[in-house]
Every structure is written in C-alpha cells, then in structure tokens.
Amino acid sequence: MKLTVRDIMTTNVVTVRADASFKEIAVRLREHRVSAFPVLDKDGTVIGVVSEADLLLKEALPLSEEEALSEEDALEGARPGILRQRAQEKDSVEHAARLMYARGVKRVPVTDAAGRLVGIVSRADVLSVFGRADEEIREQIVAEVIRGEFGADPERFGVTVADGIVTMTGRPGSVSLGRDLLSRVRHVQGVVSVRDRFTYPPA
C-alpha cells in the first residue's frame, strides 16, 4: 500500500493565530521547543508558517529609532515568509518531499480538503519511508509492480533487496520493457537505488 502524507504526519501540532504578537510567538517557540508554527486565521484555516528564522530576521537587522517598528509591525516584517504552500493529507509522500525541497523548508502543514489543519509533516517524517523492511519492499515489487502493473510473470525475474538497494536480474524481453520496469521500481517507497543486472536480447 502506497503511503500518503496522512500515514506519516504528526497530528499533535502546536499552532499560532495570525494576530499573535511577536513576543507571544517567540515565547511559544521556546516553550514548545519547536522551530516553526503553522499560522491559522480566525476560522482555523492554515494561511502559512512562521519560523524562528523569520523572527531572527528582526534581530539580525537592527533598525534606527526612526525606523523602529511596533511589535505588531515587527511580526509582519518577520513574515516575508509565511508560506502559503501546504500538503493535503491525501498527497503522496513524494509530493511532500518535492514541496519541501523546492521551497527549502523543513516542514509543511497538512490540511484537509477544506483547508483546515490536520497535521504537519517534516523532513524526518518523509525520510521514514526508508525504514521499510527489505522483504516488504521486495514483496511490493514482485506483487504490485512486476505482476500487477506490468502483467509479467515474476518467475522471469530475480529481485533482491539489501539496505533498500534493489538488484534486478532476468530477461525482460526488450530494452524498453527493462527500462520501464527499472524506472517504476525506483519509485517504490523505501528504494534507495536500483541495480540493472538484466540480460537483454542482442541489438
């Protein structure tokens, strides 16, 4: 069964309201020992994330007395980055990974279809898929990929998995089929890499 964001997310999430003061957010970050909060509007809908890095921006860029911001304005100034990117609970783990990589963030809030917060997913959560047992990965490749998606006889192929590294042997019948099969196996959750040991027919 392919894991979704719902399967790996954390559901006990500390949040902050959009009208929270700079001081309140700083205190809560320290109290809860987290580095970022999902930000909710008055209806409980996720509008983004505010992180300790956003707050540190205020301290890193001291202002003159004339340029000093009020506490409320300081919070807005620290939010160039409230991120409007989020994942939905039905999204794939790969989607969440791509989102974090593209945005350069460590976590994203997870919402239901109505935009309400249901959890948060971190880089560590995404990487947890690599903790799958080798035998579990092998069984999925044989049953769901070779037999299920390609309609091929698993007896034609050898599949071994060691520390997430898959080695494929056998005779796929054509170069194109072999490449398609290897490409699909690479996307099985928990696979680190795939070794091509197929025997192809002469060109």
Short mmCIF file of all heavy atoms in Angstrom, two decimals, residues 88-147:
data_model
loop_
_atom_site.label_atom_id
_atom_site.label_comp_id
_atom_site.label_asym_id
_atom_site.label_seq_id
_atom_site.Cartn_x
_atom_site.Cartn_y
_atom_site.Cartn_z
N GLN A 88 -1.76 18.29 1.29
CA GLN A 88 -3.03 17.73 1.73
C GLN A 88 -2.80 16.31 2.21
O GLN A 88 -1.86 15.64 1.78
CB GLN A 88 -4.06 17.76 0.60
CG GLN A 88 -4.55 19.16 0.27
CD GLN A 88 -5.85 19.15 -0.53
OE1 GLN A 88 -6.30 18.12 -1.00
NE2 GLN A 88 -6.43 20.32 -0.68
N GLU A 89 -3.65 15.86 3.11
CA GLU A 89 -3.45 14.56 3.74
C GLU A 89 -3.46 13.42 2.73
O GLU A 89 -2.86 12.37 2.96
CB GLU A 89 -4.48 14.33 4.84
CG GLU A 89 -5.91 14.48 4.39
CD GLU A 89 -6.89 14.38 5.56
OE1 GLU A 89 -6.52 13.80 6.59
OE2 GLU A 89 -8.02 14.86 5.43
N LYS A 90 -4.11 13.60 1.59
CA LYS A 90 -4.18 12.54 0.58
C LYS A 90 -2.98 12.55 -0.36
O LYS A 90 -2.81 11.63 -1.17
CB LYS A 90 -5.46 12.69 -0.24
CG LYS A 90 -5.50 13.97 -1.06
CD LYS A 90 -6.77 14.08 -1.88
CE LYS A 90 -6.77 15.36 -2.71
NZ LYS A 90 -8.00 15.51 -3.52
N ASP A 91 -2.12 13.57 -0.28
CA ASP A 91 -0.96 13.67 -1.17
C ASP A 91 0.03 12.55 -0.90
O ASP A 91 0.10 12.00 0.21
CB ASP A 91 -0.24 15.01 -0.98
CG ASP A 91 -1.03 16.18 -1.54
OD1 ASP A 91 -1.89 15.96 -2.40
OD2 ASP A 91 -0.79 17.32 -1.09
N SER A 92 0.83 12.23 -1.91
CA SER A 92 1.86 11.22 -1.73
C SER A 92 3.01 11.77 -0.91
O SER A 92 3.21 13.00 -0.82
CB SER A 92 2.38 10.75 -3.10
OG SER A 92 3.11 11.80 -3.74
N VAL A 93 3.79 10.88 -0.33
CA VAL A 93 4.98 11.28 0.41
C VAL A 93 5.95 11.99 -0.52
O VAL A 93 6.61 12.96 -0.14
CB VAL A 93 5.64 10.05 1.07
CG1 VAL A 93 6.96 10.42 1.72
CG2 VAL A 93 4.70 9.43 2.09
N GLU A 94 6.03 11.51 -1.77
CA GLU A 94 6.93 12.12 -2.74
C GLU A 94 6.55 13.58 -3.01
O GLU A 94 7.42 14.43 -3.16
CB GLU A 94 6.91 11.33 -4.06
CG GLU A 94 7.55 9.96 -3.99
CD GLU A 94 6.65 8.90 -3.36
OE1 GLU A 94 5.47 9.19 -3.08
OE2 GLU A 94 7.14 7.77 -3.15
N HIS A 95 5.26 13.86 -3.04
CA HIS A 95 4.81 15.24 -3.26
C HIS A 95 5.28 16.14 -2.12
O HIS A 95 5.77 17.25 -2.35
CB HIS A 95 3.28 15.30 -3.35
CG HIS A 95 2.74 16.69 -3.40
ND1 HIS A 95 2.75 17.45 -4.54
CD2 HIS A 95 2.19 17.48 -2.42
CE1 HIS A 95 2.24 18.64 -4.28
NE2 HIS A 95 1.89 18.69 -3.02
N ALA A 96 5.15 15.67 -0.89
CA ALA A 96 5.59 16.46 0.26
C ALA A 96 7.10 16.68 0.20
O ALA A 96 7.59 17.77 0.50
CB ALA A 96 5.20 15.76 1.56
N ALA A 97 7.84 15.65 -0.21
CA ALA A 97 9.30 15.77 -0.31
C ALA A 97 9.68 16.81 -1.35
O ALA A 97 10.56 17.65 -1.12
CB ALA A 97 9.92 14.42 -0.65
N ARG A 98 9.03 16.77 -2.51
CA ARG A 98 9.32 17.74 -3.57
C ARG A 98 8.98 19.15 -3.11
O ARG A 98 9.70 20.11 -3.42
CB ARG A 98 8.54 17.39 -4.84
CG ARG A 98 9.08 16.18 -5.59
CD ARG A 98 8.47 16.08 -6.97
NE ARG A 98 7.05 15.82 -6.92
CZ ARG A 98 6.51 14.60 -6.91
NH1 ARG A 98 7.30 13.53 -6.94
NH2 ARG A 98 5.21 14.44 -6.87
N LEU A 99 7.89 19.29 -2.38
CA LEU A 99 7.46 20.61 -1.90
C LEU A 99 8.49 21.20 -0.94
O LEU A 99 8.88 22.37 -1.06
CB LEU A 99 6.10 20.48 -1.21
CG LEU A 99 5.41 21.76 -0.75
CD1 LEU A 99 5.17 22.70 -1.92
CD2 LEU A 99 4.10 21.42 -0.07
N MET A 100 8.97 20.39 -0.01
CA MET A 100 9.97 20.87 0.95
C MET A 100 11.29 21.19 0.26
O MET A 100 11.94 22.18 0.58
CB MET A 100 10.17 19.84 2.06
CG MET A 100 9.06 19.85 3.10
SD MET A 100 9.37 18.73 4.49
CE MET A 100 8.66 17.23 3.83
N TYR A 101 11.66 20.36 -0.70
CA TYR A 101 12.91 20.59 -1.42
C TYR A 101 12.84 21.87 -2.25
O TYR A 101 13.75 22.71 -2.23
CB TYR A 101 13.22 19.41 -2.33
CG TYR A 101 14.49 19.58 -3.14
CD1 TYR A 101 15.74 19.36 -2.57
CD2 TYR A 101 14.44 19.97 -4.47
CE1 TYR A 101 16.90 19.52 -3.30
CE2 TYR A 101 15.59 20.15 -5.21
CZ TYR A 101 16.82 19.92 -4.62
OH TYR A 101 17.96 20.10 -5.35
N ALA A 102 11.73 22.05 -2.96
CA ALA A 102 11.57 23.22 -3.83
C ALA A 102 11.54 24.51 -3.04
O ALA A 102 12.06 25.54 -3.49
CB ALA A 102 10.30 23.08 -4.67
N ARG A 103 10.93 24.47 -1.85
CA ARG A 103 10.79 25.67 -1.03
C ARG A 103 11.92 25.85 -0.03
O ARG A 103 12.00 26.87 0.64
CB ARG A 103 9.45 25.64 -0.29
CG ARG A 103 8.25 25.69 -1.21
CD ARG A 103 8.13 27.03 -1.86
NE ARG A 103 7.05 27.05 -2.85
CZ ARG A 103 6.72 28.14 -3.54
NH1 ARG A 103 7.38 29.26 -3.35
NH2 ARG A 103 5.74 28.08 -4.42
N GLY A 104 12.76 24.82 0.10
CA GLY A 104 13.86 24.91 1.05
C GLY A 104 13.39 24.99 2.49
O GLY A 104 13.98 25.71 3.31
N VAL A 105 12.34 24.24 2.82
CA VAL A 105 11.79 24.27 4.18
C VAL A 105 11.91 22.89 4.82
O VAL A 105 12.07 21.88 4.13
CB VAL A 105 10.32 24.73 4.19
CG1 VAL A 105 10.21 26.16 3.71
CG2 VAL A 105 9.44 23.81 3.32
N LYS A 106 11.81 22.86 6.14
CA LYS A 106 11.98 21.60 6.88
C LYS A 106 10.66 20.90 7.16
O LYS A 106 10.65 19.73 7.54
CB LYS A 106 12.68 21.87 8.22
CG LYS A 106 14.09 22.43 8.06
CD LYS A 106 14.70 22.70 9.42
CE LYS A 106 16.11 23.26 9.29
NZ LYS A 106 16.71 23.56 10.60
N ARG A 107 9.55 21.61 7.00
CA ARG A 107 8.24 21.03 7.29
C ARG A 107 7.16 21.80 6.56
O ARG A 107 7.36 22.98 6.22
CB ARG A 107 7.96 21.06 8.79
CG ARG A 107 7.86 22.45 9.35
CD ARG A 107 7.87 22.50 10.85
NE ARG A 107 9.04 21.88 11.43
CZ ARG A 107 10.25 22.46 11.46
NH1 ARG A 107 10.44 23.66 10.91
NH2 ARG A 107 11.27 21.84 12.01
N VAL A 108 6.03 21.16 6.34
CA VAL A 108 4.88 21.85 5.76
C VAL A 108 3.63 21.42 6.51
O VAL A 108 3.52 20.28 6.95
CB VAL A 108 4.71 21.54 4.25
CG1 VAL A 108 5.79 22.18 3.42
CG2 VAL A 108 4.65 20.04 3.99
N PRO A 109 2.68 22.35 6.68
CA PRO A 109 1.41 21.97 7.31
C PRO A 109 0.61 21.08 6.38
O PRO A 109 0.75 21.16 5.16
CB PRO A 109 0.71 23.32 7.54
CG PRO A 109 1.34 24.24 6.56
CD PRO A 109 2.73 23.78 6.36
N VAL A 110 -0.23 20.25 6.97
CA VAL A 110 -1.08 19.34 6.20
C VAL A 110 -2.53 19.72 6.47
O VAL A 110 -2.93 19.89 7.63
CB VAL A 110 -0.84 17.87 6.61
CG1 VAL A 110 -1.68 16.94 5.74
CG2 VAL A 110 0.64 17.52 6.48
N THR A 111 -3.32 19.85 5.40
CA THR A 111 -4.71 20.26 5.56
C THR A 111 -5.64 19.24 4.95
O THR A 111 -5.25 18.39 4.14
CB THR A 111 -4.96 21.62 4.86
OG1 THR A 111 -4.78 21.47 3.45
CG2 THR A 111 -4.00 22.68 5.37
N ASP A 112 -6.92 19.35 5.36
CA ASP A 112 -7.94 18.56 4.68
C ASP A 112 -8.41 19.33 3.45
O ASP A 112 -7.86 20.39 3.13
CB ASP A 112 -9.10 18.23 5.63
CG ASP A 112 -9.79 19.48 6.18
OD1 ASP A 112 -9.63 20.58 5.60
OD2 ASP A 112 -10.51 19.36 7.20
N ALA A 113 -9.42 18.83 2.78
CA ALA A 113 -9.89 19.44 1.54
C ALA A 113 -10.42 20.86 1.76
O ALA A 113 -10.40 21.68 0.84
CB ALA A 113 -10.97 18.58 0.89
N ALA A 114 -10.85 21.16 3.00
CA ALA A 114 -11.40 22.48 3.30
C ALA A 114 -10.33 23.47 3.75
O ALA A 114 -10.63 24.62 4.05
CB ALA A 114 -12.48 22.35 4.38
N GLY A 115 -9.08 23.02 3.81
CA GLY A 115 -8.00 23.92 4.22
C GLY A 115 -7.76 23.96 5.70
O GLY A 115 -6.94 24.75 6.18
N ARG A 116 -8.44 23.10 6.48
CA ARG A 116 -8.25 23.07 7.93
C ARG A 116 -7.05 22.20 8.28
O ARG A 116 -6.82 21.15 7.67
CB ARG A 116 -9.51 22.55 8.63
CG ARG A 116 -10.70 23.48 8.53
CD ARG A 116 -11.87 22.94 9.34
NE ARG A 116 -12.34 21.68 8.77
CZ ARG A 116 -13.31 21.60 7.87
NH1 ARG A 116 -13.90 22.70 7.42
NH2 ARG A 116 -13.69 20.42 7.40
N LEU A 117 -6.32 22.60 9.30
CA LEU A 117 -5.12 21.89 9.71
C LEU A 117 -5.45 20.52 10.29
O LEU A 117 -6.31 20.39 11.14
CB LEU A 117 -4.36 22.71 10.76
CG LEU A 117 -3.03 22.12 11.21
CD1 LEU A 117 -1.98 22.29 10.12
CD2 LEU A 117 -2.56 22.80 12.50
N VAL A 118 -4.76 19.49 9.80
CA VAL A 118 -4.93 18.14 10.35
C VAL A 118 -3.60 17.57 10.83
O VAL A 118 -3.56 16.54 11.51
CB VAL A 118 -5.55 17.18 9.32
CG1 VAL A 118 -6.97 17.58 9.00
CG2 VAL A 118 -4.71 17.11 8.04
N GLY A 119 -2.49 18.23 10.51
CA GLY A 119 -1.19 17.72 10.95
C GLY A 119 -0.06 18.52 10.35
O GLY A 119 -0.26 19.58 9.73
N ILE A 120 1.14 18.03 10.55
CA ILE A 120 2.33 18.65 9.97
C ILE A 120 3.29 17.53 9.58
O ILE A 120 3.36 16.50 10.26
CB ILE A 120 2.98 19.63 10.95
CG1 ILE A 120 3.98 20.54 10.23
CG2 ILE A 120 3.64 18.91 12.12
CD1 ILE A 120 4.38 21.77 11.05
N VAL A 121 4.00 17.71 8.47
CA VAL A 121 4.93 16.69 8.01
C VAL A 121 6.31 17.32 7.88
O VAL A 121 6.45 18.45 7.39
CB VAL A 121 4.47 16.06 6.68
CG1 VAL A 121 4.42 17.08 5.55
CG2 VAL A 121 5.34 14.88 6.30
N SER A 122 7.31 16.61 8.38
CA SER A 122 8.68 17.13 8.39
C SER A 122 9.58 16.31 7.47
O SER A 122 9.18 15.26 6.95
CB SER A 122 9.24 17.08 9.81
OG SER A 122 9.44 15.73 10.21
N ARG A 123 10.81 16.79 7.30
CA ARG A 123 11.78 16.02 6.52
C ARG A 123 12.00 14.65 7.13
O ARG A 123 12.12 13.65 6.43
CB ARG A 123 13.11 16.78 6.46
CG ARG A 123 13.07 18.06 5.63
CD ARG A 123 14.41 18.77 5.70
NE ARG A 123 14.41 20.01 4.94
CZ ARG A 123 15.42 20.87 4.94
NH1 ARG A 123 16.51 20.62 5.65
NH2 ARG A 123 15.36 21.97 4.22
N ALA A 124 12.07 14.61 8.46
CA ALA A 124 12.28 13.32 9.13
C ALA A 124 11.14 12.36 8.86
O ALA A 124 11.34 11.16 8.68
CB ALA A 124 12.44 13.55 10.64
N ASP A 125 9.91 12.90 8.82
CA ASP A 125 8.75 12.05 8.51
C ASP A 125 8.87 11.46 7.11
O ASP A 125 8.60 10.28 6.89
CB ASP A 125 7.45 12.87 8.61
CG ASP A 125 7.16 13.35 10.01
OD1 ASP A 125 7.52 12.63 10.97
OD2 ASP A 125 6.59 14.45 10.15
N VAL A 126 9.26 12.31 6.15
CA VAL A 126 9.40 11.86 4.77
C VAL A 126 10.47 10.78 4.66
O VAL A 126 10.30 9.77 3.97
CB VAL A 126 9.74 13.05 3.85
CG1 VAL A 126 10.17 12.57 2.47
CG2 VAL A 126 8.53 13.98 3.73
N LEU A 127 11.58 10.98 5.36
CA LEU A 127 12.68 10.02 5.29
C LEU A 127 12.35 8.70 5.99
O LEU A 127 13.05 7.70 5.80
CB LEU A 127 13.95 10.63 5.90
CG LEU A 127 14.57 11.78 5.09
CD1 LEU A 127 15.74 12.38 5.86
CD2 LEU A 127 15.01 11.31 3.72
N SER A 128 11.27 8.70 6.76
CA SER A 128 10.90 7.47 7.47
C SER A 128 10.55 6.34 6.52
O SER A 128 10.60 5.16 6.91
CB SER A 128 9.73 7.74 8.42
OG SER A 128 8.54 8.02 7.69
N VAL A 129 10.18 6.66 5.26
CA VAL A 129 9.83 5.60 4.31
C VAL A 129 11.03 4.71 4.02
O VAL A 129 10.89 3.56 3.60
CB VAL A 129 9.27 6.17 2.99
CG1 VAL A 129 8.02 6.99 3.24
CG2 VAL A 129 10.30 6.98 2.23
N PHE A 130 12.25 5.23 4.26
CA PHE A 130 13.44 4.43 4.01
C PHE A 130 13.71 3.44 5.14
O PHE A 130 14.68 2.69 5.10
CB PHE A 130 14.65 5.34 3.79
CG PHE A 130 14.57 6.08 2.49
CD1 PHE A 130 14.21 7.42 2.46
CD2 PHE A 130 14.81 5.44 1.29
CE1 PHE A 130 14.11 8.11 1.26
CE2 PHE A 130 14.70 6.11 0.08
CZ PHE A 130 14.35 7.45 0.06
N GLY A 131 12.84 3.44 6.13
CA GLY A 131 12.94 2.46 7.20
C GLY A 131 12.16 1.19 6.90
O GLY A 131 12.12 0.27 7.71
N ARG A 132 11.54 1.11 5.71
CA ARG A 132 10.78 -0.08 5.35
C ARG A 132 11.71 -1.31 5.27
O ARG A 132 12.85 -1.22 4.83
CB ARG A 132 10.11 0.09 3.99
CG ARG A 132 9.04 1.14 3.92
CD ARG A 132 8.37 1.13 2.56
NE ARG A 132 7.54 -0.05 2.37
CZ ARG A 132 7.03 -0.42 1.19
NH1 ARG A 132 7.33 0.27 0.09
NH2 ARG A 132 6.27 -1.50 1.09
N ALA A 133 11.20 -2.44 5.70
CA ALA A 133 11.97 -3.68 5.66
C ALA A 133 12.24 -4.08 4.21
O ALA A 133 11.40 -3.89 3.32
CB ALA A 133 11.22 -4.80 6.37
N ASP A 134 13.44 -4.63 3.97
CA ASP A 134 13.81 -5.06 2.62
C ASP A 134 12.81 -6.06 2.05
O ASP A 134 12.45 -5.98 0.87
CB ASP A 134 15.21 -5.68 2.63
CG ASP A 134 16.31 -4.66 2.86
OD1 ASP A 134 16.07 -3.46 2.61
OD2 ASP A 134 17.40 -5.05 3.30
N GLU A 135 12.36 -6.99 2.86
CA GLU A 135 11.43 -8.01 2.37
C GLU A 135 10.09 -7.38 1.98
O GLU A 135 9.44 -7.81 1.02
CB GLU A 135 11.22 -9.09 3.42
CG GLU A 135 10.36 -10.26 2.97
CD GLU A 135 10.90 -10.93 1.70
OE1 GLU A 135 12.13 -10.93 1.48
OE2 GLU A 135 10.06 -11.47 0.94
N GLU A 136 9.68 -6.37 2.73
CA GLU A 136 8.43 -5.67 2.40
C GLU A 136 8.55 -4.98 1.05
O GLU A 136 7.62 -5.00 0.23
CB GLU A 136 8.11 -4.65 3.49
CG GLU A 136 6.81 -3.89 3.27
CD GLU A 136 6.56 -2.85 4.35
OE1 GLU A 136 7.28 -2.86 5.37
OE2 GLU A 136 5.65 -2.02 4.16
N ILE A 137 9.69 -4.36 0.81
CA ILE A 137 9.93 -3.70 -0.48
C ILE A 137 9.92 -4.73 -1.60
O ILE A 137 9.31 -4.52 -2.66
CB ILE A 137 11.28 -2.95 -0.46
CG1 ILE A 137 11.23 -1.79 0.55
CG2 ILE A 137 11.63 -2.42 -1.85
CD1 ILE A 137 12.57 -1.13 0.80
N ARG A 138 10.61 -5.85 -1.39
CA ARG A 138 10.68 -6.89 -2.41
C ARG A 138 9.28 -7.42 -2.74
O ARG A 138 8.93 -7.61 -3.92
CB ARG A 138 11.57 -8.04 -1.93
CG ARG A 138 11.73 -9.14 -2.98
CD ARG A 138 12.50 -10.35 -2.44
NE ARG A 138 12.59 -11.36 -3.49
CZ ARG A 138 11.59 -12.18 -3.83
NH1 ARG A 138 10.43 -12.11 -3.17
NH2 ARG A 138 11.76 -13.07 -4.81
N GLU A 139 8.48 -7.66 -1.72
CA GLU A 139 7.13 -8.18 -1.95
C GLU A 139 6.29 -7.21 -2.78
O GLU A 139 5.52 -7.62 -3.65
CB GLU A 139 6.45 -8.47 -0.61
CG GLU A 139 7.03 -9.67 0.12
CD GLU A 139 6.42 -9.87 1.49
OE1 GLU A 139 5.58 -9.02 1.88
OE2 GLU A 139 6.79 -10.84 2.17
N GLN A 140 6.45 -5.92 -2.52
CA GLN A 140 5.69 -4.94 -3.29
C GLN A 140 6.15 -4.92 -4.75
O GLN A 140 5.33 -4.82 -5.66
CB GLN A 140 5.85 -3.54 -2.69
CG GLN A 140 5.04 -2.50 -3.45
CD GLN A 140 5.16 -1.10 -2.86
OE1 GLN A 140 5.74 -0.92 -1.80
NE2 GLN A 140 4.63 -0.12 -3.56
N ILE A 141 7.46 -5.01 -4.97
CA ILE A 141 7.98 -5.01 -6.35
C ILE A 141 7.44 -6.21 -7.12
O ILE A 141 6.97 -6.07 -8.27
CB ILE A 141 9.52 -5.02 -6.34
CG1 ILE A 141 10.05 -3.69 -5.79
CG2 ILE A 141 10.07 -5.27 -7.76
CD1 ILE A 141 11.55 -3.68 -5.56
N VAL A 142 7.47 -7.37 -6.49
CA VAL A 142 7.01 -8.59 -7.17
C VAL A 142 5.51 -8.56 -7.42
O VAL A 142 5.04 -8.80 -8.54
CB VAL A 142 7.41 -9.84 -6.35
CG1 VAL A 142 6.76 -11.09 -6.94
CG2 VAL A 142 8.92 -9.99 -6.32
N ALA A 143 4.73 -8.27 -6.37
CA ALA A 143 3.28 -8.37 -6.46
C ALA A 143 2.64 -7.19 -7.19
O ALA A 143 1.79 -7.37 -8.07
CB ALA A 143 2.68 -8.51 -5.07
N GLU A 144 3.05 -5.97 -6.83
CA GLU A 144 2.37 -4.80 -7.37
C GLU A 144 2.97 -4.27 -8.66
O GLU A 144 2.25 -3.76 -9.52
CB GLU A 144 2.34 -3.69 -6.32
CG GLU A 144 1.57 -4.05 -5.06
CD GLU A 144 1.50 -2.90 -4.07
OE1 GLU A 144 1.73 -1.74 -4.48
OE2 GLU A 144 1.22 -3.16 -2.89
N VAL A 145 4.30 -4.37 -8.79
CA VAL A 145 4.95 -3.81 -9.98
C VAL A 145 5.05 -4.84 -11.10
O VAL A 145 4.48 -4.67 -12.18
CB VAL A 145 6.35 -3.24 -9.64
CG1 VAL A 145 7.02 -2.69 -10.90
CG2 VAL A 145 6.23 -2.15 -8.58
N ILE A 146 5.77 -5.92 -10.85
CA ILE A 146 6.00 -6.91 -11.91
C ILE A 146 4.69 -7.58 -12.33
O ILE A 146 4.32 -7.58 -13.52
CB ILE A 146 7.03 -7.96 -11.46
CG1 ILE A 146 8.39 -7.29 -11.21
CG2 ILE A 146 7.17 -9.05 -12.52
CD1 ILE A 146 9.46 -8.23 -10.66
N ARG A 147 3.97 -8.15 -11.35
CA ARG A 147 2.75 -8.87 -11.69
C ARG A 147 1.58 -7.92 -11.92
O ARG A 147 0.85 -8.03 -12.91
CB ARG A 147 2.39 -9.85 -10.58
CG ARG A 147 1.11 -10.65 -10.89
CD ARG A 147 0.70 -11.53 -9.72
NE ARG A 147 1.64 -12.61 -9.49
CZ ARG A 147 2.32 -12.79 -8.36
NH1 ARG A 147 2.18 -11.93 -7.35
NH2 ARG A 147 3.13 -13.82 -8.22
#
